[in-house]
Amino acid sequence: GSEASVPGTRHRRQPVSKTPAVAMTTSGVWDPKAGNFEMKRKSSFSVFSVNDPTSRPRPVASDEQEKGKHEKLWNLMANYKANDVDSVQKDVVSHVEYSLACTRFGFSKEDAYRAASLAVRDRLLESFNDTNAWYSQQDVKRGYYLSAEYLLGRAFQNALVNLDLEPAFKEAMMGLGFELEDLYPFEADPGLGNGGLGRLAACFLDSMATLSLPCWGYGIRYSYGIFKQDIVNGWQVERPDYWLPQAGP
């Protein structure tokens, strides 16, 4: 894994460059040329690496008029979100009122979970957008994995751990009067699959992300899950899995 950046540091986005050495932030885990593998790849943008870019990527304007037209917009989006405790708390509280329309004088643990998960999603989106902008700039070959099922599991804690942000969010939520461990159960398991094949498909996606391959997974969005099993009088009873109304960000 990569090391966390200095707490409170706000990193700036770089212009999208055609030079991979500038855009890459982590070393590759394998060499596709050595394996006679044609798919171009790069390590994803990450603000949590010691080698992260000093600024966020930005599009290269086709002409000076176009550049001046959007300069203010680009400048406002130039910085990554800071990951210190105070910044995380401000983001969470902002989502409580402005994203969830909850009063700041009282909100439930479930509201706190949704606000915290929105704050995590904000940080994921920065890397997601910058990585896809780089792929578009490089015109990479993309891979697509199709599966009828994906047993993904809950994403909130998984994202925090992978981004190395769990300690900062734990302290931030504690400062707001919530234990982070008490918020995890409010996330519903995605009802997109079960069993070995669904888990295998999810593992493929994890591997693609670990190898920084430009791949997408496609599946079926089951409105009521595969099914929810209950045992009634010793018999299995299949019921709908109403997971979407509880789905997190």
Side-chain angles (χ1 to χ4, degrees):
S2 57
E3 298 181 19
S5 57
V6 178
T9 303
R10 291 186 64 83
H11 300 279
R12 292 185 59 80
R13 287 171 154 171
Q14 290 179 329
V16 173
S17 169
K18 289 183 179 287
T19 306
V22 176
M24 291 177 69
T25 62
T26 55
S27 58
V29 294
W30 60 283
D31 183 4
K33 293 182 180 178
N36 194 27
F37 198 76
E38 296 181 354
M39 181 178 292
K40 297 180 183 178
R41 55 172 290 282
K42 65 169 284 292
S43 294
S44 301
F45 285 99
S46 172
V47 299
F48 314 102
S49 165
V50 292
N51 298 317
D52 55 351
T54 56
S55 61
R56 295 192 70 182
R58 59 189 292 175
V60 178
S62 57
D63 53 54
E64 288 301 319
Q65 182 179 0
E66 188 71 13
K67 178 180 179 181
K69 182 179 179 181
H70 299 295
E71 187 70 20
K72 181 65 174 180
L73 173 63
W74 292 342
N75 288 337
L76 289 172
M77 299 179 68
N79 295 318
Y80 289 105
K81 282 185 171 292
N83 298 314
D84 61 289
V85 171
D86 186 59
S87 296
V88 170
Q89 288 177 334
K90 289 179 179 178
D91 286 344
V92 170
V93 172
S94 176
H95 279 301
V96 166
E97 185 158 21
Y98 300 112
S99 299
L100 302 177
C102 295
T103 171
R104 63 187 181 278
F105 297 110
F107 51 96
S108 66
K109 285 186 179 180
E110 185 171 1
D111 296 329
Y113 149 69
R114 294 190 183 281
S117 58
L118 284 167
V120 175
R121 188 182 71 169
D122 290 344
R123 287 153 175 81
L124 286 171
L125 283 174
E126 290 176 337
S127 181
F128 177 83
N129 289 335
D130 292 345
T131 299
N132 278 305
W134 196 93
Y135 285 148
S136 296
Q137 182 87 22
Q138 299 299 311
D139 191 26
V140 301
K141 182 186 292 184
R142 295 177 182 265
Y144 300 91
Y145 184 78
L146 280 67
S147 176
E149 296 185 34
Y150 288 98
L151 184 57
L152 299 172
R154 295 173 177 174
F156 183 36
Q157 185 177 15
N158 187 50
L160 283 172
V161 171
N162 287 333
L163 297 176
D164 200 19
L165 286 178
E166 193 173 29
F169 269 76
K170 184 175 182 179
E171 185 177 347
M173 297 309 296
M174 188 177 299
L176 297 176
F178 297 93
E179 295 288 340
L180 192 59
E181 290 78 7
D182 294 339
L183 306 184
Y184 293 144
F186 286 101
E187 180 178 6
D189 264 304
L192 300 175
N194 56 23
L197 292 179
R199 183 58 235 163
L200 179 63
C203 288
F204 278 138
L205 296 186
D206 284 340
S207 297
M208 293 171 190
T210 300
L211 295 173
S212 302
L213 295 174
C215 298
W216 290 86
Y218 284 91
I220 302 174
R221 186 174 184 264
Y222 299 102
S223 298
Y224 300 103
I226 302 297
F227 68 86
K228 186 175 182 179
Q229 174 183 283
D230 288 334
I231 304 298
V232 179
N233 297 325
W235 293 88
Q236 173 180 289
V237 178
E238 298 84 13
R239 304 186 189 278
D241 178 12
Y242 298 101
W243 70 281
L244 281 176
Q246 307 172 30

